Amino acid sequence: MSDFKYLFQDKYQNQFGGITFTAFTDLLKTLNEKYYVSSIQIIESASFSLAMVIRSHLGLSAEGGKIGIIAKDNFAGSLALAAARRLYNAGTNSTIIIPQKELGTLSKDFQLQAEAVSALGLELLVIDPKENEDSLNELFQSSDNVLMGTFDNNAYKDDNLNFLADMLNELSTPIHSIICPHGICQDTGKKLSTPIYSSSTLSLGIPLSGLNEANDFLGRHYICEISVPKEEAKLLANIPETLFAEQPVCQIFKKKD
């Protein structure tokens, strides 16, 4: 069994560890190459769970909800767009912000998800945050929730995202982070730039190890099932086989000392 520290626990006090972001990206590759689970399949299953989390924060019903979504062209952004599609079909209206001046060439997964939400008539705005501060502030203030699908290894260096993080932290609108809150080192939990104070954070399959030390920025910490074989999950972080026995998404907690 791999070496790991016990960092988290479920509601039954079963304790388990986390993995680095490098190990997480390796895991996604392993799922694809060894277990034939593609990134699109992972995005679809995780978006189902993310939509459940947002429903919970909307008072258990998505009907009439207004969601602001910030999406970067990466895995988290693709997941955010897929969740927007699911939430639209459940009764919400989403405005999707891509925080950059020009769209440029998109990755295959992100383009697929963007085309799917565009086909539903959802607004997808490519916009420079600093040049549109007032309108973005108004959008986020009027939203019931903001979904931030921006995290990757370099997101903390993005001036546009740091600008938005400062803006969002001044508002009372709940912010929901995918994989890791913006501005936090996923491996150590230390601040790298402006950190987002999230209302919730969704981990995928196995949580990132740095989220233990970044607990104050997570809000409610959820984890969802993404078809990681239980043998792999046990080996990497001692994830209990029963973690997803009741639901495909559940709340987890920082390990008690």
Side-chain angles (χ1 to χ4, degrees), residues 6 11 18 47 75 82 101 105 109 115 140 150 153 158 162-163 176 192 197 200 203 227-228 239 254 256:
Y6 289 100
K11 66 180 181 179
S47 69
F75 187 81
K101 280 192 173 184
T105 303
D109 285 353
E115 290 173 346
F140 297 140
T150 59
N153 221 14
D158 190 319
N162 291 331
F163 181 82
H176 303 276
L192 295 175
Y197 287 86
S200 77
S203 288
S227 296
V228 178
I239 301 295
K254 183 175 182 177
K256 293 181 180 179

Side-chain angles (χ1 to χ4, degrees), residues 61-249:
S61 174
E63 185 178 2
K66 184 177 180 181
I67 311 295
I69 295 177
I70 305 169
K72 184 180 178 183
D73 183 1
N74 58 20
F75 187 81
S78 298
L79 176 47
L81 295 184
R85 169 168 43 84
R86 290 184 178 276
L87 289 167
Y88 170 84
N89 291 324
T92 69
N93 184 41
S94 298
T95 300
I96 300 162
I97 303 298
I98 300 178
Q100 57 193 62
K101 280 192 173 184
E102 298 177 356
L103 196 55
T105 303
L106 298 176
S107 66
K108 181 180 178 180
D109 285 353
F110 192 84
Q111 182 172 348
L112 180 65
Q113 300 301 334
E115 290 173 346
V117 294
S118 296
L120 297 174
L122 295 177
E123 278 194 282
L124 202 157
L125 304 175
V126 181
I127 193 169
D128 186 317
K130 295 177 183 178
E131 294 178 1
N132 296 273
E133 180 176 2
D134 291 342
S135 59
L136 287 175
N137 197 55
E138 182 179 348
L139 167 66
F140 297 140
Q141 279 187 320
S142 63
S143 297
D144 297 308
N145 291 267
V146 172
L147 182 53
M148 199 157 184
T150 59
F151 174 77
D152 60 31
N153 221 14
N154 296 305
Y156 73 94
K157 300 176 183 177
D158 190 319
D159 289 340
N160 286 331
L161 295 180
N162 291 331
F163 181 82
L164 288 172
D166 284 325
M167 179 189 296
L168 292 169
N169 282 336
E170 293 297 318
L171 303 179
S172 58
T173 309
I175 313 300
H176 303 276
S177 298
I178 298 173
I179 304 177
C180 180
H182 177 75
I184 296 296
C185 177
Q186 65 276 1
D187 296 334
T188 66
K190 295 180 179 180
K191 297 179 186 179
L192 295 175
S193 61
T194 303
I196 283 284
Y197 287 86
S198 307
S199 180
S200 77
T201 299
L202 180 68
S203 288
L204 277 58
I206 302 175
L208 298 178
S209 53
L211 298 184
N212 173 274
E213 291 298 323
N215 189 63
D216 290 344
F217 297 96
L218 304 184
R220 293 181 182 177
H221 189 185
Y222 297 96
I223 190 168
C224 68
E225 194 276 329
I226 58 167
S227 296
V228 178
K230 59 186 179 182
E231 296 83 3
E232 293 278 356
K234 182 79 171 178
L235 179 67
L236 290 171
N238 199 37
I239 301 295
E241 292 185 10
T242 56
L243 186 61
F244 302 115
E246 298 174 2
Q247 296 286 343
V249 59

